[in-house]
Structure formats: C-alpha cells, structure tokens
C-alpha cells in the first residue's frame, strides 16, 4: 500500500525558506504527478504545484515566484521549497498523488505537517 | 480566475436524511476532449487529509459508499448524501481542475 509522509521543520522564521520533503513508500514515484497542497488553519485548501517524476513542474501562479519543486527518483521522494515566507504561509502542508492518468485531482494524501512561520 | 462558491457554509442534517451540498463555478469548467466537467469532491474529517470522493463530477472513487453521489452541469454542481450516517460528519470541498486547480470554501456537515 502506497503511503506518503511529509517531513521538515515545523517552525520557520519570516523571510526564510520553508523546505519540506515527501517520501513515498510502498510504491514507485514513477508514472505519477505529485503535488503539494496547503491549508491555513481553519481555511480552505490551496494547490501549490506539482512535480512529475520526469522533473516537469507547474505552479500556482500566486506562488510561482517563490516556489521550487524537485524530485529524487533514487530516494523515491520529492521536495518543496518556498522562499521569503511570511505569517500568511503558516499552514498544514500536504503532499498528494494524482490519480493514474490524471494531474490535478488527488486520490492519495500524506497526513500533513503543520508549518508555522514565526520569529 | 475560476472561482468556486459552495453553499451552504454549514449544514445540519438528521441521521438517515438527505444532505445536499452545492458548488457553483464562476464560468464553465467543461473539458471538451471528454465532454466532462473538471470537478472533484473531497471529504475532510478533523485532523485528517482530504479524501477524494468524486472526479469528473460524478465518477465515484473506489471505496466511496453508494449513498454518496455527484452531479451537475454547466456551472452548478451538487454532492448528495442520500441517507446521512454518523461517519459522514466532515467538511466537504469541491475542486475544479479546468485551469489552475482551486478548491471551494468548504461546507461543514453536522448532525
């Protein structure tokens, strides 16, 4: 059974870079699109971007200037970097896998990790 | 940008009764190559990630009970629970994927 697990610091200072990794276990990272989705406390979900196992990426235009995504097929994991964070970036960050043959609807999710931006 | 407006914000339904959640798109989300609307529904319980219920408006994800149904056309879409069970208490989100994926504001379903 494929599982996703987010990891990374739970506290990031303003203006610094948020870095998270999603490790895929029980299956291969190949042949799928992998996304990051975040949810500020008490608010709705926001798609951040995807990375394909080939390294192809696409981003939410609202975050494009600050986001980078990468994939490491050797370690079966993919990563998110969000630069110049502010308190508005405080959220639960989820990694998610799109359904086979799809890109933008997500049938497998990690449990999420809360990242707080604060000094 | 295509905006999704869900209604109501919250809903209280008795056990065994029907629950209906609406999602209105600000413009068409019809994907011409397959003539389907690019809309998904998710269920999110407290402290859990979202769970995909439907995609392409009405295609049920594996394992989703048949009391759940998705429907709609044009710019109006509906998630219906035919007979509410206690485990259905959750927040429900619609999401379009016609352009940059975007989620609705959510509907909190209570008993």
């Amino acid at each position: 059974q494929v599982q996703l697990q987010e990891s990374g610091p739970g506290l990031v200072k303003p203006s610094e870079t948020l870095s998270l990794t999603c490790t895929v276990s029980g299956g291969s990272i190949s042949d799928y699109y992998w996304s990051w989705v975040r949810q500020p406390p008490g608010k709705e979900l926001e798609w951040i971007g995807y990375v394909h196992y080939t390294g192809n990426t696409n981003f939410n235009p609202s975050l494009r200037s600050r986001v980078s995504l990468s994939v490491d097929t050797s370690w079966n994991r993919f990563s998110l970097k969000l630069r110049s964070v502010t308190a508005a970036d405080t959220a639960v960050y989820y990694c998610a896998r799109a359904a086979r043959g799809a890109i933008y609807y997500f049938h497998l999710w990690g449990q999420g990790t809360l990242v707080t931006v604060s000094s | 940008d295509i905006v999704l407006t869900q209604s109501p914000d919250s809903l209280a339904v008795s056990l065994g009764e029907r629950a209906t959640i609406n999602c209105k798109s600000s413009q068409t989300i019809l994907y011409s190559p397959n003539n389907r609307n690019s809309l998904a529904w998710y269920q999110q319980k407290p402290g859990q990630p979202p769970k995909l219920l439907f995609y392409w408006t009405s295609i049920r994800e594996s394992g989703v009970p048949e009391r759940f149904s998705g429907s709609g056309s044009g710019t109006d879409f509906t998630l219906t629970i035919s007979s509410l069970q206690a485990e259905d208490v959750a927040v429900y989100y619609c999401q379009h994927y016609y352009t940059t994926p975007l989620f609705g504001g959510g509907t909190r379903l209570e008993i």
Side-chain angles (χ1 to χ4, degrees):
Chain A
Q1 183 178 358
V2 179
Q3 293 185 318
L4 309 182
Q5 180 64 59
E6 304 89 351
S7 59
L11 181 65
V12 181
K13 290 183 168 56
S15 80
E16 295 190 345
T17 297
L18 180 160
S19 297
L20 295 175
T21 295
C22 182
T23 300
V24 180
S25 60
S28 174
I29 202 167
S30 298
D31 295 331
Y32 288 97
Y33 288 84
W34 304 89
S35 278
W36 290 93
V37 178
R38 69 180 183 178
Q39 186 171 35
K43 296 188 177 181
E44 64 263 30
L45 301 150
E46 179 182 33
W47 178 75
I48 298 171
Y50 77 64
V51 60
H52 190 241
Y53 77 101
T54 56
N56 184 34
T57 56
N58 192 23
F59 306 103
N60 189 322
S62 68
L63 297 168
R64 184 185 304 273
S65 63
R66 299 194 292 132
V67 174
S68 60
L69 300 180
S70 61
V71 63
D72 186 338
T73 55
S74 299
W75 287 91
N76 233 32
R77 66 190 184 192
F78 59 103
S79 299
L80 162 72
K81 290 188 186 298
L82 180 64
R83 297 177 291 276
S84 304
V85 297
T86 68
D89 295 310
T90 293
V92 174
Y93 284 76
Y94 295 100
C95 56
R97 188 182 81 176
R100 181 175 287 278
I103 300 176
Y104 293 124
Y105 52 88
F106 315 109
H107 77 146
L108 186 64
W109 296 70
Q111 281 301 305
T113 187
L114 174 63
V115 179
T116 301
V117 178
S118 175
S119 56
Chain B
D1 291 354
I2 300 173
V3 176
L4 297 178
T5 303
Q6 287 188 233
S7 62
D9 292 336
S10 63
L11 179 64
V13 175
S14 300
L15 290 174
E17 297 298 305
R18 177 185 299 265
T20 301
I21 297 170
N22 303 298
C23 177
K24 186 174 183 64
S25 174
S26 59
Q27 58 186 274
T28 183
I29 52 174
L30 181 67
Y31 184 63
S32 299
N34 65 5
N35 201 37
R36 293 180 184 267
N37 287 287
S38 307
L39 191 93
W41 286 98
Y42 297 84
Q43 174 194 66
Q44 187 177 31
K45 297 181 179 180
Q48 295 185 20
K51 173 187 175 183
L52 179 65
L53 299 176
F54 293 93
Y55 52 97
W56 295 119
T57 302
S58 59
I59 299 178
R60 186 181 289 106
E61 174 73 345
S62 176
V64 174
E66 291 194 4
R67 64 180 181 275
F68 289 87
S69 63
S71 63
S73 62
T75 59
D76 294 294
F77 303 92
T78 301
L79 174 69
T80 302
I81 308 172
S82 60
S83 177
L84 189 71
Q85 304 299 304
E87 61 265 31
D88 301 334
V89 169
V91 178
Y92 292 84
Y93 293 96
C94 56
Q95 175 222 337
H96 86 77
Y97 44 95
Y98 185 73
T99 55
T100 301
L102 183 138
F103 294 83
T107 296
R108 184 174 304 276
L109 178 59
E110 301 169 328
I111 295 175

